Every structure is written in structure tokens, then in C-alpha cells.
Amino acid sequence: MADVTSITLTSSAARRVASIADKQGKSAVLRLSVDGGGCAGFSYRFALGEVEQDDVVSMTDGVSLVVDPVSLDLVAGCEVDFVEELGGSAFRVNNPNAASGCGCGSSFSV
């Protein structure tokens, strides 16, 4: 398990993860992974989970952001934020590796 500071979770996202985890009685660990598909080629997937042996881990305010080694190449250097807007609230990935994205903000291409 490595600590990579180039993958970050904002304080806003950390507070939201902690709140959700507390309500569900789970660990404050947000897993970010990338799946093939989505309207732009790849899609982000978020889940509460546990830290696995090969995960890359970044900590913010006592909350862990974990990424599996396969997804890491596509999200290295990213920032995960939690935004509340008129249209709703969601986790948002600011990914410097993405060449383009879609309107929904949950898929991207490289």
C-alpha cells in the first residue's frame, strides 16, 4: 500500500464521505475506479470500501481515497471533489489525464 500525494480528496469530499460512511456504519474509505464504457469511453465508479493490499491511498481529514493499480494510470494527478449545484450534488473528478469528458461529468476519454 503506497501513499501518493498526487491523488487528492478535497475537504468537501472528505466531509461527505465521512457523513455517508457514518450513516451506513462503514469505514471512511472512498474507492475510485475506472471502468470501460460510458458516453466518452471510460467511466468513474465510486464506492465505500476497504483498503486492499495493492491500493494507492491518499488521506484527507481522516478519510482515505483509494485507487486500484489498474485504474491508477488513468487517474494519477486527479482531485476528487464534492460539489453541490442547482442541478444536484455529486462527487466530481478533476482529471488532468482526460482529453475530453461528457456533460454528466462521470465519463471521460484519454
Side-chain angles (χ1 to χ4, degrees), residues 4-93:
V4 174
T5 56
S6 66
I7 298 171
T8 58
L9 188 66
T10 66
S11 292
S12 174
R15 282 190 303 273
R16 184 64 176 164
V17 171
S19 174
I20 293 168
D22 185 54
K23 288 178 184 174
Q24 294 185 7
K26 296 186 177 183
S27 299
V29 176
L30 180 65
R31 176 169 297 283
L32 169 61
S33 59
V34 176
D35 290 335
C39 44
F42 294 101
S43 61
Y44 300 112
R45 171 169 281 176
F46 294 102
L48 289 179
E50 298 296 327
V51 179
E52 302 292 330
Q53 183 175 355
D54 292 337
D55 285 341
V56 173
V57 180
S58 177
M59 295 285 292
T60 302
D61 301 334
V63 175
S64 298
L65 172 63
V66 297
V67 178
D68 64 88
V70 175
S71 299
L72 185 60
D73 286 342
L74 297 169
V75 297
C78 77
E79 175 187 71
V80 177
D81 195 11
F82 182 75
V83 294
E84 296 184 73
E85 300 173 335
L86 188 58
S89 57
F91 288 101
R92 180 114 351 119
V93 179

